[in-house]
Amino acid sequence: MITILEAKRSGQFGKGRLLPNVVAGVIVGVVALPLAMAFAIASGARPEQGIYTAIIGGFMVSLLGGSRVQIAGPTGAFIAILAGVTAKYGIDGLRMATLMAGFILLFMGVAKMGAVIRFIPAPVIVGFTSGIGVIIFVGQWRDFLGLPVTGGVHFHEKLINLLGVITQVHVPTLAMAVLSLLLVLYSSRVRGMARVPGPLTAMVVATVIQSVWQIPGVATIGTAFGGIPLGLPSFSIPTVSLTQMIQLIGPAFTIAMLGAIESLLSAVVADGMAGTKHDSNQELVGQGLANIVAPLFGGFAATGAIARTATNVRNGGTSPLAGVTHTLTLVAVILFMAPLAQNIPLAALAAILFVVAYNMSEIPHFLHILLRAPRADGLILVITFVLTVFADLVVAVNVGVILATLQFLRRMAASVEVQSMNENDLKPTLQELGRSALPNGVLVYEINGPFFFGAVESLERILQQTRTDPKVLILRLRLVPFMDFTGLQALQDVVRKLQKRGVRVMLCEANHRVRAKLWKTGVLDALAEGDYADDLAGALRRLPDA
């Protein structure tokens, strides 16, 4: 309800604001209708389940999410993982995986992990979304071309099997699909049609053509699914075994991560368009509750939909009222217009998904990262993309994040410098002490950067370059923002090794957080009494000849 209170405080429920939000909600509902059915079919579910998901997910997120203009529902990002779950565990398995993902999202929101999700690197996100786009594109060949049913579990098997029957194209289906694709892309350019969504135009025109001529061999929702039932779904709990629930933990976690990423990206886009500021943790709570409730009423995974959210803002949506109106529009469709869906050609829905797949592939962004970004980022992009397409989305995201993390740590370690300081560097401090040079046998090193496990080698390498041991080694820590346990342990080992060789080690100028960790882990206990100082001048004063 936070978004409702925020919208009320900002005056979004005033007399002049209600109608624009209602209009925006109706438009988004119309846009969502063909997409919801297309995403459901591509995920292995029935078309009405996509509508149920849009109704419940959209309503819950509008009321309980963290963005007042967010529109939620089924999205293309889920197709690859959901289709695999449905094929292996059936519809009840899909619903249970969604339910489990809902609880994971709810936990992430309550644990305030919203900000963490946004740190997933761009090459990983673009890599798996582009891979999903390819999977969706190839997955729609059969309906677009009117090909016979083919088998195959993995992407390469499905592709080979499709290519094996490519000569069996059903010409009327292909013609219907091409017409639908052209309408999706260009119908809005026709005078007077600018505000009519292309997917809706394509679906309506294709449905009218099929209804009038009943073209033989063109698959429709009626021939494939028996139509869409009139009325709202009833409450039911998905039935799966305990073994299946355990097996669904991985897919559920992937659904939760994808849902979190896409919903927060959508919320960021909405903020930029509407001038709002979303609450990322509350958004995850809303998404979690939506994914808990949706499968209990026949739905499946829902998340924030970037395209529908953008459509909402462009058409005047400024409050949760638009999102609620979007769900009421879909309720009206399922209550009064469901029988009209009987003749919707699957080729028209495949054409809509072709466009969705192209948009998801982000080809310009993909090429920009590949050609302009550092080589390591381009490699992570390609690896994530290839694993998404040919292996598994879970594997792709995990490997991509791990590689990106290792690359980040490598860069961080390379940025840590251990520098030897000479008299010119220390001139102000030496003048304060009335000296022109350091005492004989005294070396001063300064560590610059976070001293973590990846940066330990820098210190050890620099110290090894000292051919003869000094009498005193002073380490300045003023430019060290933090230390992790491995860094602290390495520092302690260095201190003890040098002490065994007769070198007196002194530390100085650590900030209060680092100093507290030095005490807690026993590093300062390893020093002789008085060998830690708050500043360099204090350390030099404690030397016998200073």
Side-chain angles (χ1 to χ4, degrees), residues 20 32 62 72 82 118 122 131 184 224-225 230 302 308 310 390 400 407:
S62 292
L82 299 189
R118 290 181 291 180
V184 172
F225 302 98
L230 197 64
R308 275 159 275 172
F390 292 101
Q407 172 63 8

Side-chain angles (χ1 to χ4, degrees), residues 31-32 34-44 50 53-54 71-84 125 127-140 254-255 258-259 262-263 266 300-308 349-350 352-362 388 393:
V31 171
L35 293 175
M37 291 191 291
F39 292 145
I41 294 171
S43 300
T53 303
I71 302 295
T75 67
F78 284 136
I79 289 176
I81 185 68
L82 299 189
I125 294 175
F128 76 71
T129 53
S130 296
I132 291 170
V134 171
I135 293 171
I136 294 172
F137 175 68
V138 174
Q140 294 306 304
T254 304
I255 292 171
L258 285 176
E262 187 161 11
S263 64
S266 178
F300 53 89
T303 186
I306 297 176
R308 275 159 275 172
L349 299 180
I352 293 171
L353 287 179
F354 268 20
V355 177
V356 170
Y358 176 80
N359 292 334
M360 283 196 66
S361 65
E362 297 189 83
T388 299
L393 187 60

Side-chain angles (χ1 to χ4, degrees), residues 33-84:
L33 178 62
L35 293 175
M37 291 191 291
F39 292 145
I41 294 171
S43 300
R46 291 180 57 86
E48 66 268 19
Q49 290 182 283
I51 301 176
Y52 300 158
T53 303
I55 291 172
I56 298 169
F59 184 79
M60 298 288 291
V61 170
S62 292
L63 293 183
L64 303 173
S67 170
R68 69 184 190 218
V69 294
Q70 179 85 283
I71 302 295
T75 67
F78 284 136
I79 289 176
I81 185 68
L82 299 189

Side-chain angles (χ1 to χ4, degrees), residues 323-342:
V324 173
T325 304
H326 140 263
T327 65
L328 294 178
T329 302
L330 293 173
V331 168
V333 169
I334 204 75
L335 286 179
F336 305 110
M337 302 177 67
L340 299 178
Q342 184 83 11

